[in-house]
Amino acid sequence: MKSLILFILYFKSVLLFSQSYMSTTLRTITLDSIDIKFNYNEKFGGIEAESYFKNSKSKLSTIYYLEEDNKTFHLIVVQEKSKNSEDTWRTNVFQFNDGKIFYQKESYHSKINGIAIEHQKDNNEIYHKAFNTEFLKKYIFELFEKIKNYR
């Protein structure tokens, strides 16, 4: 059951990344050498952010699903497209309870005939090694702290 719920949330996030529901003004901020564009999306009650890392010329897309207080989150989905293909990406899902991670999953997907298919890590395209799980755990908190007051 838990896997089904996570799959539905993941699939919903894939759809949200591919569609544009700008509910509020798109804002831009800078964090060190990272340009960040984000907006609050009323459609799913969360924040969508795209981080552009100037030094590595790479991007991360992040969705924060917010709690009812709109000050904390319960689920974060981070996606990174492959360096070699627009249709292949790595996804990290983090679930939180009381500010602590209780579930985390990294997966790899490709679009085949318009459908997202999960595949094994050894079949994936090339991704930035710096965007490993430990980095993402720190970055998602730092990013949220930076953008939460700008909504």
mmCIF file of all heavy atoms in Angstrom, residues 61-101:
data_model
loop_
_atom_site.group_PDB
_atom_site.id
_atom_site.type_symbol
_atom_site.label_atom_id
_atom_site.label_comp_id
_atom_site.label_asym_id
_atom_site.label_seq_id
_atom_site.Cartn_x
_atom_site.Cartn_y
_atom_site.Cartn_z
ATOM 1 N N SER A 61 15.470 19.947 -10.357
ATOM 2 C CA SER A 61 14.082 20.375 -10.154
ATOM 3 C C SER A 61 13.608 19.772 -8.845
ATOM 4 O O SER A 61 13.827 18.590 -8.589
ATOM 5 C CB SER A 61 13.203 19.881 -11.305
ATOM 6 O OG SER A 61 13.626 20.461 -12.517
ATOM 7 N N THR A 62 12.960 20.592 -8.027
ATOM 8 C CA THR A 62 12.539 20.154 -6.694
ATOM 9 C C THR A 62 11.091 20.547 -6.457
ATOM 10 O O THR A 62 10.687 21.653 -6.799
ATOM 11 C CB THR A 62 13.422 20.819 -5.612
ATOM 12 O OG1 THR A 62 14.793 20.612 -5.938
ATOM 13 C CG2 THR A 62 13.133 20.258 -4.243
ATOM 14 N N ILE A 63 10.343 19.635 -5.875
ATOM 15 C CA ILE A 63 8.970 19.923 -5.456
ATOM 16 C C ILE A 63 8.867 19.651 -3.966
ATOM 17 O O ILE A 63 9.258 18.578 -3.494
ATOM 18 C CB ILE A 63 7.935 19.056 -6.197
ATOM 19 C CG1 ILE A 63 7.918 19.389 -7.679
ATOM 20 C CG2 ILE A 63 6.547 19.257 -5.607
ATOM 21 C CD1 ILE A 63 6.944 18.557 -8.483
ATOM 22 N N TYR A 64 8.364 20.633 -3.221
ATOM 23 C CA TYR A 64 8.094 20.491 -1.793
ATOM 24 C C TYR A 64 6.583 20.387 -1.616
ATOM 25 O O TYR A 64 5.861 21.330 -1.929
ATOM 26 C CB TYR A 64 8.583 21.712 -1.012
ATOM 27 C CG TYR A 64 10.075 21.900 -1.015
ATOM 28 C CD1 TYR A 64 10.701 22.634 -2.018
ATOM 29 C CD2 TYR A 64 10.855 21.360 -0.004
ATOM 30 C CE1 TYR A 64 12.069 22.823 -2.013
ATOM 31 C CE2 TYR A 64 12.228 21.552 0.012
ATOM 32 C CZ TYR A 64 12.825 22.279 -0.998
ATOM 33 O OH TYR A 64 14.179 22.465 -0.990
ATOM 34 N N TYR A 65 6.101 19.254 -1.136
ATOM 35 C CA TYR A 65 4.688 19.114 -0.789
ATOM 36 C C TYR A 65 4.551 19.583 0.650
ATOM 37 O O TYR A 65 5.111 18.987 1.567
ATOM 38 C CB TYR A 65 4.235 17.661 -0.924
ATOM 39 C CG TYR A 65 4.235 17.190 -2.354
ATOM 40 C CD1 TYR A 65 5.352 16.584 -2.913
ATOM 41 C CD2 TYR A 65 3.113 17.369 -3.160
ATOM 42 C CE1 TYR A 65 5.345 16.166 -4.234
ATOM 43 C CE2 TYR A 65 3.103 16.954 -4.476
ATOM 44 C CZ TYR A 65 4.228 16.349 -5.006
ATOM 45 O OH TYR A 65 4.223 15.940 -6.315
ATOM 46 N N LEU A 66 3.811 20.669 0.854
ATOM 47 C CA LEU A 66 3.763 21.320 2.162
ATOM 48 C C LEU A 66 2.664 20.772 3.050
ATOM 49 O O LEU A 66 1.626 20.303 2.575
ATOM 50 C CB LEU A 66 3.560 22.827 1.972
ATOM 51 C CG LEU A 66 4.632 23.541 1.163
ATOM 52 C CD1 LEU A 66 4.273 25.007 0.992
ATOM 53 C CD2 LEU A 66 5.994 23.394 1.801
ATOM 54 N N GLU A 67 2.904 20.873 4.349
ATOM 55 C CA GLU A 67 1.878 20.556 5.342
ATOM 56 C C GLU A 67 0.841 21.671 5.322
ATOM 57 O O GLU A 67 1.029 22.698 4.680
ATOM 58 C CB GLU A 67 2.511 20.450 6.742
ATOM 59 C CG GLU A 67 3.508 19.320 6.897
ATOM 60 C CD GLU A 67 2.858 17.951 6.945
ATOM 61 O OE1 GLU A 67 1.627 17.854 7.141
ATOM 62 O OE2 GLU A 67 3.587 16.963 6.784
ATOM 63 N N GLU A 68 -0.232 21.503 6.052
ATOM 64 C CA GLU A 68 -1.305 22.495 6.065
ATOM 65 C C GLU A 68 -0.851 23.857 6.575
ATOM 66 O O GLU A 68 -1.413 24.883 6.207
ATOM 67 C CB GLU A 68 -2.486 21.982 6.888
ATOM 68 C CG GLU A 68 -3.212 20.849 6.190
ATOM 69 C CD GLU A 68 -4.422 20.369 6.980
ATOM 70 O OE1 GLU A 68 -4.906 21.102 7.862
ATOM 71 O OE2 GLU A 68 -4.875 19.258 6.697
ATOM 72 N N ASP A 69 0.192 23.879 7.422
ATOM 73 C CA ASP A 69 0.678 25.160 7.938
ATOM 74 C C ASP A 69 1.513 25.930 6.898
ATOM 75 O O ASP A 69 1.853 27.081 7.113
ATOM 76 C CB ASP A 69 1.505 24.959 9.209
ATOM 77 C CG ASP A 69 2.781 24.163 8.978
ATOM 78 O OD1 ASP A 69 3.117 23.826 7.819
ATOM 79 O OD2 ASP A 69 3.468 23.862 9.969
ATOM 80 N N ASN A 70 1.820 25.294 5.770
ATOM 81 C CA ASN A 70 2.624 25.880 4.694
ATOM 82 C C ASN A 70 4.016 26.305 5.138
ATOM 83 O O ASN A 70 4.685 27.079 4.467
ATOM 84 C CB ASN A 70 1.916 27.069 4.031
ATOM 85 C CG ASN A 70 0.855 26.615 3.062
ATOM 86 O OD1 ASN A 70 0.901 25.510 2.530
ATOM 87 N ND2 ASN A 70 -0.122 27.466 2.839
ATOM 88 N N LYS A 71 4.475 25.826 6.287
ATOM 89 C CA LYS A 71 5.801 26.169 6.775
ATOM 90 C C LYS A 71 6.707 24.954 6.887
ATOM 91 O O LYS A 71 7.905 25.091 7.094
ATOM 92 C CB LYS A 71 5.702 26.864 8.125
ATOM 93 C CG LYS A 71 5.001 28.209 8.042
ATOM 94 C CD LYS A 71 4.888 28.861 9.381
ATOM 95 C CE LYS A 71 4.111 30.166 9.251
ATOM 96 N NZ LYS A 71 3.801 30.759 10.517
ATOM 97 N N THR A 72 6.137 23.769 6.781
ATOM 98 C CA THR A 72 6.914 22.539 6.830
ATOM 99 C C THR A 72 6.492 21.645 5.666
ATOM 100 O O THR A 72 5.451 21.866 5.058
ATOM 101 C CB THR A 72 6.707 21.787 8.158
ATOM 102 O OG1 THR A 72 5.311 21.514 8.321
ATOM 103 C CG2 THR A 72 7.202 22.588 9.341
ATOM 104 N N PHE A 73 7.275 20.655 5.385
ATOM 105 C CA PHE A 73 6.981 19.776 4.262
ATOM 106 C C PHE A 73 6.935 18.331 4.729
ATOM 107 O O PHE A 73 7.496 17.983 5.762
ATOM 108 C CB PHE A 73 8.014 19.938 3.147
ATOM 109 C CG PHE A 73 9.432 19.977 3.635
ATOM 110 C CD1 PHE A 73 10.118 18.813 3.928
ATOM 111 C CD2 PHE A 73 10.083 21.176 3.801
ATOM 112 C CE1 PHE A 73 11.423 18.848 4.383
ATOM 113 C CE2 PHE A 73 11.390 21.232 4.258
ATOM 114 C CZ PHE A 73 12.055 20.061 4.548
ATOM 115 N N HIS A 74 6.248 17.500 3.977
ATOM 116 C CA HIS A 74 6.178 16.082 4.307
ATOM 117 C C HIS A 74 6.749 15.201 3.210
ATOM 118 O O HIS A 74 7.029 14.040 3.421
ATOM 119 C CB HIS A 74 4.740 15.660 4.633
ATOM 120 C CG HIS A 74 3.784 15.805 3.488
ATOM 121 N ND1 HIS A 74 3.140 16.977 3.218
ATOM 122 C CD2 HIS A 74 3.386 14.935 2.546
ATOM 123 C CE1 HIS A 74 2.372 16.826 2.158
ATOM 124 N NE2 HIS A 74 2.503 15.600 1.720
ATOM 125 N N LEU A 75 6.952 15.766 2.039
ATOM 126 C CA LEU A 75 7.493 15.005 0.918
ATOM 127 C C LEU A 75 8.246 15.954 0.003
ATOM 128 O O LEU A 75 7.777 17.054 -0.277
ATOM 129 C CB LEU A 75 6.349 14.335 0.141
ATOM 130 C CG LEU A 75 6.723 13.523 -1.086
ATOM 131 C CD1 LEU A 75 7.433 12.228 -0.672
ATOM 132 C CD2 LEU A 75 5.478 13.184 -1.880
ATOM 133 N N ILE A 76 9.411 15.513 -0.442
ATOM 134 C CA ILE A 76 10.194 16.287 -1.402
ATOM 135 C C ILE A 76 10.598 15.342 -2.521
ATOM 136 O O ILE A 76 11.045 14.229 -2.278
ATOM 137 C CB ILE A 76 11.460 16.893 -0.763
ATOM 138 C CG1 ILE A 76 11.082 17.849 0.359
ATOM 139 C CG2 ILE A 76 12.304 17.617 -1.810
ATOM 140 C CD1 ILE A 76 12.265 18.395 1.106
ATOM 141 N N VAL A 77 10.427 15.807 -3.741
ATOM 142 C CA VAL A 77 10.847 15.053 -4.916
ATOM 143 C C VAL A 77 11.884 15.893 -5.648
ATOM 144 O O VAL A 77 11.632 17.059 -5.962
ATOM 145 C CB VAL A 77 9.654 14.752 -5.856
ATOM 146 C CG1 VAL A 77 10.122 14.000 -7.083
ATOM 147 C CG2 VAL A 77 8.569 13.980 -5.119
ATOM 148 N N VAL A 78 13.050 15.313 -5.898
ATOM 149 C CA VAL A 78 14.126 16.000 -6.599
ATOM 150 C C VAL A 78 14.419 15.227 -7.881
ATOM 151 O O VAL A 78 14.609 14.014 -7.836
ATOM 152 C CB VAL A 78 15.413 16.077 -5.749
ATOM 153 C CG1 VAL A 78 16.511 16.835 -6.482
ATOM 154 C CG2 VAL A 78 15.141 16.701 -4.391
ATOM 155 N N GLN A 79 14.438 15.935 -9.012
ATOM 156 C CA GLN A 79 14.732 15.285 -10.283
ATOM 157 C C GLN A 79 15.907 15.960 -10.970
ATOM 158 O O GLN A 79 16.010 17.183 -10.975
ATOM 159 C CB GLN A 79 13.532 15.329 -11.219
ATOM 160 C CG GLN A 79 12.419 14.430 -10.767
ATOM 161 C CD GLN A 79 11.284 14.362 -11.768
ATOM 162 O OE1 GLN A 79 11.060 15.300 -12.529
ATOM 163 N NE2 GLN A 79 10.564 13.263 -11.760
ATOM 164 N N GLU A 80 16.748 15.117 -11.552
ATOM 165 C CA GLU A 80 17.888 15.585 -12.325
ATOM 166 C C GLU A 80 17.852 14.882 -13.669
ATOM 167 O O GLU A 80 17.821 13.645 -13.730
ATOM 168 C CB GLU A 80 19.190 15.240 -11.608
ATOM 169 C CG GLU A 80 20.415 15.549 -12.424
ATOM 170 C CD GLU A 80 21.669 14.862 -11.899
ATOM 171 O OE1 GLU A 80 21.593 14.078 -10.955
ATOM 172 O OE2 GLU A 80 22.725 15.136 -12.475
ATOM 173 N N LYS A 81 17.854 15.658 -14.740
ATOM 174 C CA LYS A 81 17.899 15.061 -16.075
ATOM 175 C C LYS A 81 19.310 14.582 -16.370
ATOM 176 O O LYS A 81 20.287 15.148 -15.896
ATOM 177 C CB LYS A 81 17.456 16.062 -17.137
ATOM 178 C CG LYS A 81 15.979 16.326 -17.075
ATOM 179 C CD LYS A 81 15.521 17.131 -18.246
ATOM 180 C CE LYS A 81 14.008 17.305 -18.129
ATOM 181 N NZ LYS A 81 13.451 18.015 -19.240
ATOM 182 N N SER A 82 19.390 13.549 -17.168
ATOM 183 C CA SER A 82 20.666 13.015 -17.592
ATOM 184 C C SER A 82 21.430 14.054 -18.416
ATOM 185 O O SER A 82 20.827 14.895 -19.079
ATOM 186 C CB SER A 82 20.420 11.767 -18.451
ATOM 187 O OG SER A 82 21.548 11.462 -19.211
ATOM 188 N N LYS A 83 22.737 13.993 -18.369
ATOM 189 C CA LYS A 83 23.553 14.881 -19.194
ATOM 190 C C LYS A 83 23.374 14.556 -20.673
ATOM 191 O O LYS A 83 23.574 15.408 -21.524
ATOM 192 C CB LYS A 83 25.032 14.718 -18.852
ATOM 193 C CG LYS A 83 25.432 15.199 -17.498
ATOM 194 C CD LYS A 83 26.921 14.974 -17.350
ATOM 195 C CE LYS A 83 27.388 15.089 -15.934
ATOM 196 N NZ LYS A 83 28.815 14.789 -15.802
ATOM 197 N N ASN A 84 22.997 13.328 -20.980
ATOM 198 C CA ASN A 84 22.958 12.861 -22.370
ATOM 199 C C ASN A 84 21.574 12.800 -22.983
ATOM 200 O O ASN A 84 21.463 12.641 -24.190
ATOM 201 C CB ASN A 84 23.587 11.472 -22.474
ATOM 202 C CG ASN A 84 25.046 11.482 -22.086
ATOM 203 O OD1 ASN A 84 25.700 12.502 -22.137
ATOM 204 N ND2 ASN A 84 25.542 10.339 -21.675
ATOM 205 N N SER A 85 20.524 12.873 -22.169
ATOM 206 C CA SER A 85 19.190 12.673 -22.725
ATOM 207 C C SER A 85 18.153 13.467 -21.942
ATOM 208 O O SER A 85 18.108 13.403 -20.717
ATOM 209 C CB SER A 85 18.832 11.183 -22.680
ATOM 210 O OG SER A 85 17.484 10.986 -23.005
ATOM 211 N N GLU A 86 17.297 14.167 -22.642
ATOM 212 C CA GLU A 86 16.203 14.903 -22.009
ATOM 213 C C GLU A 86 15.117 13.952 -21.488
ATOM 214 O O GLU A 86 14.319 14.324 -20.646
ATOM 215 C CB GLU A 86 15.583 15.887 -23.004
ATOM 216 C CG GLU A 86 16.445 17.099 -23.272
ATOM 217 C CD GLU A 86 16.546 18.016 -22.066
ATOM 218 O OE1 GLU A 86 15.519 18.351 -21.446
ATOM 219 O OE2 GLU A 86 17.682 18.413 -21.740
ATOM 220 N N ASP A 87 15.075 12.752 -22.018
ATOM 221 C CA ASP A 87 14.029 11.792 -21.662
ATOM 222 C C ASP A 87 14.453 10.795 -20.595
ATOM 223 O O ASP A 87 13.783 9.784 -20.375
ATOM 224 C CB ASP A 87 13.564 11.031 -22.908
ATOM 225 C CG ASP A 87 12.786 11.909 -23.857
ATOM 226 O OD1 ASP A 87 12.258 12.945 -23.402
ATOM 227 O OD2 ASP A 87 12.705 11.579 -25.048
ATOM 228 N N THR A 88 15.582 11.036 -19.947
ATOM 229 C CA THR A 88 16.070 10.142 -18.901
ATOM 230 C C THR A 88 16.418 10.980 -17.678
ATOM 231 O O THR A 88 17.035 12.026 -17.805
ATOM 232 C CB THR A 88 17.318 9.374 -19.395
ATOM 233 O OG1 THR A 88 16.993 8.705 -20.605
ATOM 234 C CG2 THR A 88 17.780 8.360 -18.379
ATOM 235 N N TRP A 89 16.020 10.524 -16.496
ATOM 236 C CA TRP A 89 16.273 11.308 -15.298
ATOM 237 C C TRP A 89 16.404 10.423 -14.062
ATOM 238 O O TRP A 89 15.961 9.283 -14.030
ATOM 239 C CB TRP A 89 15.179 12.343 -15.079
ATOM 240 C CG TRP A 89 13.816 11.769 -14.852
ATOM 241 C CD1 TRP A 89 13.227 11.484 -13.647
ATOM 242 C CD2 TRP A 89 12.860 11.378 -15.843
ATOM 243 N NE1 TRP A 89 11.981 10.965 -13.830
ATOM 244 C CE2 TRP A 89 11.724 10.882 -15.180
ATOM 245 C CE3 TRP A 89 12.852 11.401 -17.240
ATOM 246 C CZ2 TRP A 89 10.614 10.408 -15.844
ATOM 247 C CZ3 TRP A 89 11.731 10.930 -17.909
ATOM 248 C CH2 TRP A 89 10.634 10.444 -17.202
ATOM 249 N N ARG A 90 17.038 11.012 -13.045
ATOM 250 C CA ARG A 90 17.184 10.377 -11.735
ATOM 251 C C ARG A 90 16.253 11.115 -10.787
ATOM 252 O O ARG A 90 16.178 12.343 -10.796
ATOM 253 C CB ARG A 90 18.624 10.488 -11.267
ATOM 254 C CG ARG A 90 18.821 10.024 -9.835
ATOM 255 C CD ARG A 90 20.259 9.966 -9.418
ATOM 256 N NE ARG A 90 20.991 11.207 -9.653
ATOM 257 C CZ ARG A 90 22.295 11.326 -9.480
ATOM 258 N NH1 ARG A 90 23.022 10.300 -9.099
ATOM 259 N NH2 ARG A 90 22.889 12.485 -9.700
ATOM 260 N N THR A 91 15.546 10.368 -9.973
ATOM 261 C CA THR A 91 14.601 10.949 -9.018
ATOM 262 C C THR A 91 14.961 10.495 -7.611
ATOM 263 O O THR A 91 15.235 9.317 -7.384
ATOM 264 C CB THR A 91 13.158 10.502 -9.331
ATOM 265 O OG1 THR A 91 12.837 10.916 -10.649
ATOM 266 C CG2 THR A 91 12.173 11.098 -8.343
ATOM 267 N N ASN A 92 14.953 11.433 -6.685
ATOM 268 C CA ASN A 92 15.097 11.130 -5.266
ATOM 269 C C ASN A 92 13.833 11.598 -4.569
ATOM 270 O O ASN A 92 13.411 12.744 -4.745
ATOM 271 C CB ASN A 92 16.302 11.850 -4.664
ATOM 272 C CG ASN A 92 17.591 11.156 -5.000
ATOM 273 O OD1 ASN A 92 17.972 10.223 -4.312
ATOM 274 N ND2 ASN A 92 18.246 11.594 -6.064
ATOM 275 N N VAL A 93 13.228 10.710 -3.791
ATOM 276 C CA VAL A 93 12.037 11.024 -3.020
ATOM 277 C C VAL A 93 12.413 10.936 -1.545
ATOM 278 O O VAL A 93 13.013 9.947 -1.111
ATOM 279 C CB VAL A 93 10.882 10.044 -3.332
ATOM 280 C CG1 VAL A 93 9.681 10.325 -2.448
ATOM 281 C CG2 VAL A 93 10.511 10.110 -4.803
ATOM 282 N N PHE A 94 12.066 11.974 -0.793
ATOM 283 C CA PHE A 94 12.314 12.008 0.642
ATOM 284 C C PHE A 94 10.981 12.245 1.344
ATOM 285 O O PHE A 94 10.276 13.193 1.002
ATOM 286 C CB PHE A 94 13.264 13.147 1.011
ATOM 287 C CG PHE A 94 14.604 13.077 0.343
ATOM 288 C CD1 PHE A 94 14.834 13.744 -0.851
ATOM 289 C CD2 PHE A 94 15.641 12.352 0.907
ATOM 290 C CE1 PHE A 94 16.071 13.700 -1.476
ATOM 291 C CE2 PHE A 94 16.878 12.290 0.293
ATOM 292 C CZ PHE A 94 17.099 12.961 -0.906
ATOM 293 N N GLN A 95 10.642 11.409 2.325
ATOM 294 C CA GLN A 95 9.451 11.638 3.143
ATOM 295 C C GLN A 95 9.892 11.989 4.550
ATOM 296 O O GLN A 95 10.851 11.423 5.076
ATOM 297 C CB GLN A 95 8.563 10.396 3.188
ATOM 298 C CG GLN A 95 7.677 10.270 1.987
ATOM 299 C CD GLN A 95 6.654 9.182 2.200
ATOM 300 O OE1 GLN A 95 6.999 8.017 2.180
ATOM 301 N NE2 GLN A 95 5.415 9.574 2.399
ATOM 302 N N PHE A 96 9.154 12.926 5.147
ATOM 303 C CA PHE A 96 9.520 13.455 6.453
ATOM 304 C C PHE A 96 8.393 13.305 7.451
ATOM 305 O O PHE A 96 7.226 13.318 7.093
ATOM 306 C CB PHE A 96 9.855 14.951 6.334
ATOM 307 C CG PHE A 96 11.070 15.217 5.514
ATOM 308 C CD1 PHE A 96 10.989 15.277 4.134
ATOM 309 C CD2 PHE A 96 12.287 15.406 6.122
ATOM 310 C CE1 PHE A 96 12.111 15.511 3.375
ATOM 311 C CE2 PHE A 96 13.418 15.646 5.362
ATOM 312 C CZ PHE A 96 13.330 15.698 3.993
ATOM 313 N N ASN A 97 8.794 13.196 8.707
ATOM 314 C CA ASN A 97 7.862 13.252 9.824
ATOM 315 C C ASN A 97 8.594 13.965 10.951
ATOM 316 O O ASN A 97 9.702 13.563 11.315
ATOM 317 C CB ASN A 97 7.423 11.854 10.257
ATOM 318 C CG ASN A 97 6.320 11.897 11.278
ATOM 319 O OD1 ASN A 97 5.658 12.919 11.450
ATOM 320 N ND2 ASN A 97 6.112 10.796 11.967
ATOM 321 N N ASP A 98 8.018 15.021 11.477
ATOM 322 C CA ASP A 98 8.650 15.835 12.520
ATOM 323 C C ASP A 98 10.042 16.296 12.112
ATOM 324 O O ASP A 98 10.971 16.294 12.909
ATOM 325 C CB ASP A 98 8.714 15.061 13.843
ATOM 326 C CG ASP A 98 7.343 14.794 14.416
ATOM 327 O OD1 ASP A 98 6.448 15.640 14.217
ATOM 328 O OD2 ASP A 98 7.158 13.738 15.064
ATOM 329 N N GLY A 99 10.206 16.663 10.853
ATOM 330 C CA GLY A 99 11.466 17.198 10.371
ATOM 331 C C GLY A 99 12.563 16.187 10.131
ATOM 332 O O GLY A 99 13.692 16.558 9.856
ATOM 333 N N LYS A 100 12.250 14.890 10.229
ATOM 334 C CA LYS A 100 13.269 13.860 10.031
ATOM 335 C C LYS A 100 12.865 12.938 8.892
ATOM 336 O O LYS A 100 11.692 12.604 8.730
ATOM 337 C CB LYS A 100 13.451 13.052 11.309
ATOM 338 C CG LYS A 100 13.990 13.888 12.440
ATOM 339 C CD LYS A 100 14.289 13.063 13.643
ATOM 340 C CE LYS A 100 14.768 14.041 14.719
ATOM 341 N NZ LYS A 100 15.264 13.447 15.873
ATOM 342 N N ILE A 101 13.859 12.534 8.126
ATOM 343 C CA ILE A 101 13.603 11.628 7.009
ATOM 344 C C ILE A 101 13.278 10.239 7.548
ATOM 345 O O ILE A 101 14.027 9.678 8.344
ATOM 346 C CB ILE A 101 14.834 11.539 6.088
ATOM 347 C CG1 ILE A 101 15.139 12.892 5.479
ATOM 348 C CG2 ILE A 101 14.630 10.481 5.002
ATOM 349 C CD1 ILE A 101 16.434 12.947 4.694
#
